[in-house]
Every structure is written in structure tokens, then in C-alpha cells.
Amino acid sequence: MPQHLLPTTVVGSYPQPDWLVDRAMLAKSIPRIRLQGMWRIQRPLLEEAQDDATIVAIHDMEQAGVDIISDGEIRRESYSNRFATALDGIDADNPAIIISPAGNKTPVPRVVGPIRRRYPVELRDMELLRRNTTRAAKMTLPGPFTLSQQAQDDFYHDDEAVAMAFAEVVNAEARDLQRAGADVIQLDESWVRSNPRAARRYAVKAINRALDNITVPTIVHVCFGYAAIVPGSSKPGGYPFLTELADCCATQISVEAAQPRLDLGILKELSAKTIVLGVLDLGDPEIEPASVIAERIRNGLKVVAPERLVVAPDCGMKYLPRAVAFGKLRAMCAAATRVREELA
């Protein structure tokens, strides 16, 4: 793990190459069931192609100067569906339909039996990442609360029980990733802001179960939705569920902050946590100058001590052109270096 102040990281995803995915199909939605038609390479060559694209993503992150890197989530159609649909007790072939507050209809898996893991879903991804970098490596998992919100329960008939069942399998997966060399494990819990009432009842309980006996640094990531799908003009300046995460066992909280122009004062309520601060606006198609990003970092330092601040983009880099994503990461790392030198 990096020992200097203001280490840089990514939230998780990085652009998948155009030769690997149909980006027009990718941009239409965030799939909850499988979207096999998105892949341009057919089996049995798909896995090798994904390996190659993952190595390219690792190389890009290293060249940009990122301290704590991921596998780019290259094998995933979305941040959550690959893990969710690999579980026993989940029927993704006969999906249910959920309707968002905006009226959008989304096919989602149905829970039809006890939720169990058939096999470690992301273990091979972690092993490939560990073989191809000497830098600190993080792996991301969908959080148990979010998984429960993205499925229809036709078995447990109890929303908290579903979340806790997902927490059990996420914990088993996280333990396997830790044994395989993950330096950081992150849970993506974007849906705590979508259903804060339910989140207040049992999200922290589920998160704590999912991270039980994980000894490496752990992160809970929250956001308002990908910039490619949710425009910044529709995002509020504050989270309806955030300060409650002070009670979770994760050591770090990751927030989307640049695009929604988050009021950073709320971060004072998370004084026991390290903050992974989003400082790249992924709704901006231009590569922000390092000077602009540095000012966002300085704003973060007004409320978060430098030893508790990690610099990151907002989430959803997979939707950007690769050259833009790389340029933004490089500018972010340059900005972190600039502010780090100021602190010294």
C-alpha cells in the first residue's frame, strides 16, 4: 500500500475496448441480468480476449500514475450483474421487472431459492490482476443491500433476510479475494441512496456481515448513478444516506463528489473514516486541467485531514472513450502530486 499522503485510486471500472464490447449497447442501460450480446468476441475466445483487455487496463492505470489499481472490471457487463447471476437461488433467465421512480422498467433476477455461491466468481480476476502488477490492488464487489434491491424476492419474503443472505455470499467471496492477494476490497452500495428508509433499517448490518473477518482495508462506495446515464443537473448536492455509514466496519467511504458538486461539509460526520473523494467529473467530456482537479482536492482538505484523504474519479469510467479516461486519470495523478508537494 502507498505510504505517501493523498494516494490515488480508481473506483473500479475502466473503458472496455471497442473491439471487445458493443459500446452502443452498453450505453443503453445498466443491466441487472446478463447481456451476452454486448460482447463482440464469442466463446471460446472471449475469456482470452477479456484477459488481454484487462492487462491493457492495468497498464493504462499504471502509466497514468494511479497508486491503487483495479482490474478495470473488464469482464463485467455492469458492476453487479456478473456476481449476482452466478449465484444459486437466482433465476436470471425468467426475470422480473422493477420500475424506477422515474418510470423506467428494468429486468432483474428473481430470488427463487436459498442464495448460495456455486464457486468464487471474481477469484480468477484477482489472480490475473495480482500477476500483472506490483502496485496495490483493489477488487470491487456489489454490496449486499444493493444486490437485494436489484432483485425480486420470491423466496424469503423478507427484505432484510434477502440482504443478509447476499451478505453471506459476498463475505465468502471477499475472503477468497483477500487470500488471493487483494490489498483493498470495496463494496458498491449505490442503492442506499435510492431506498434510504430500508437502508436505515438494515444496510449497515448487512455491510458489516459482508466484511466480517476481512483484515485488509475495506471501502463502501456510494454514488448518484453513472454520469453517462444520470446527468449532473439531476443529482442533488447531498446524500440521503451517508452519515449512517459512520457505524459500519468499513475503514473507508468512497463518494461521488465532482459531478454532483457535493457539499463536502457532510464529510465531517465521517471523521473516523478515510474518505475516497471523487474529483473527476465524468459528465464532462473534456480532460480537466490538473489545476482544476487540484482545487477540488484542496476543497476536500478543508474538511478531511490529509492522512485520511484518497483521491479518485467519480464512478463510471467504463462509459468514457479510453483516451479521455486515461487523460483524466493522468491529470488527477498530477494534481495529487501538486497538492502533496504543497503539503510538504
Side-chain angles (χ1 to χ4, degrees):
M1 293 291 289
Q3 299 303 307
H4 53 258
L5 292 176
L6 306 180
T8 56
T9 190
V10 290
V11 174
S13 70
Y14 192 73
Q16 294 148 307
D18 290 343
W19 54 260
L20 182 63
V21 300
D22 182 336
R23 295 184 68 81
M25 184 178 294
L26 173 69
K28 290 180 180 179
S29 65
I30 304 172
R32 309 302 181 203
I33 57 174
R34 296 311 302 265
L35 189 64
Q36 296 290 356
M38 184 186 90
W39 302 102
R40 295 189 186 277
I41 309 296
Q42 301 300 309
R43 291 188 177 91
L45 299 178
L46 178 58
E47 187 171 74
E48 182 180 358
Q50 291 169 334
D51 285 353
D52 291 346
T54 299
I55 292 169
V56 169
I58 292 168
H59 180 265
D60 271 13
M61 286 182 254
E62 289 183 335
Q63 290 297 108
V66 178
D67 296 312
I68 306 167
I69 68 173
S70 74
D71 69 335
E73 300 181 0
I74 296 298
R75 298 176 199 283
R76 307 187 199 186
E77 296 148 9
S78 79
Y79 70 98
S80 62
N81 74 327
R82 180 165 172 261
F83 183 80
T85 56
L87 302 172
D88 277 336
I90 299 296
D91 184 352
D93 296 325
N94 300 288
I97 300 294
I98 62 171
I99 302 175
S100 74
N104 298 318
K105 297 180 179 180
T106 303
V108 298
R110 291 186 305 114
V111 180
V112 296
I115 297 171
R116 298 192 179 98
R117 252 191 351 157
R118 300 173 192 166
Y119 52 85
V121 182
E122 297 182 16
L123 180 60
R124 188 177 180 278
D125 309 11
M126 183 61 235
E127 291 171 341
L128 182 69
L129 173 58
R130 188 72 285 164
R131 286 196 306 271
N132 285 278
T133 188
T134 58
R135 298 195 184 186
K138 73 184 286 186
M139 286 296 289
T140 63
L141 286 164
F145 182 83
T146 292
L147 285 167
S148 71
Q149 297 291 300
Q150 293 181 356
Q152 177 171 297
D153 173 26
D154 292 342
F155 177 76
Y156 291 91
H157 306 296
D158 180 326
D159 55 352
E160 182 175 339
V162 176
M164 295 309 296
F166 276 120
E168 293 289 336
V169 296
V170 170
N171 180 250
E173 185 80 6
R175 292 189 192 199
D176 281 336
L177 296 176
Q178 179 174 264
R179 282 190 289 268
D183 297 299
V184 181
I185 293 175
Q186 174 179 300
L187 301 184
D188 293 324
E189 283 287 17
S190 57
W191 279 60
V192 294
R193 56 89 186 168
S194 299
N195 193 348
R197 180 176 298 180
R200 292 189 185 99
R201 287 196 291 118
Y202 56 84
V204 168
K205 179 181 177 182
I207 289 167
N208 287 348
R209 178 65 192 97
L211 295 178
D212 187 41
N213 284 323
I214 302 302
T215 57
V216 299
T218 52
I219 304 173
V220 173
H221 171 72
V222 294
C223 68
F224 296 106
Y226 293 142
I229 308 295
V230 183
S233 59
S234 67
K235 295 182 178 182
Y239 288 91
F241 186 95
L242 180 62
T243 58
E244 293 87 347
L245 292 173
D247 295 328
C248 79
C249 65
T251 55
Q252 304 182 23
I253 306 299
S254 168
V255 293
E256 177 195 12
Q259 189 192 24
R261 307 296 189 263
L262 181 68
D263 179 357
L264 300 183
I266 194 67
L267 300 178
K268 294 178 182 178
E269 304 297 320
L270 297 169
S271 60
K273 307 293 187 184
T274 292
I275 300 299
V276 183
L277 184 67
V279 297
L280 291 180
D281 181 351
L282 303 191
D284 183 350
E286 302 299 322
I287 298 169
E288 299 103 313
S291 59
V292 170
I293 302 167
E295 190 59 27
R296 292 173 184 162
I297 297 171
R298 294 185 194 104
N299 287 336
L301 290 171
K302 293 176 182 177
V303 292
V304 180
E307 61 271 16
R308 293 195 300 108
L309 191 67
V310 177
V311 177
D314 284 352
C315 57
M317 293 204 93
K318 69 184 293 174
Y319 293 97
L320 296 177
R322 180 180 163 196
V324 173
F326 178 79
K328 282 177 177 281
L329 286 182
R330 185 164 57 182
M332 180 187 79
C333 294
T337 298
R338 182 179 302 182
V339 180
R340 193 180 302 128
E341 290 172 350
E342 293 170 2
L343 293 172

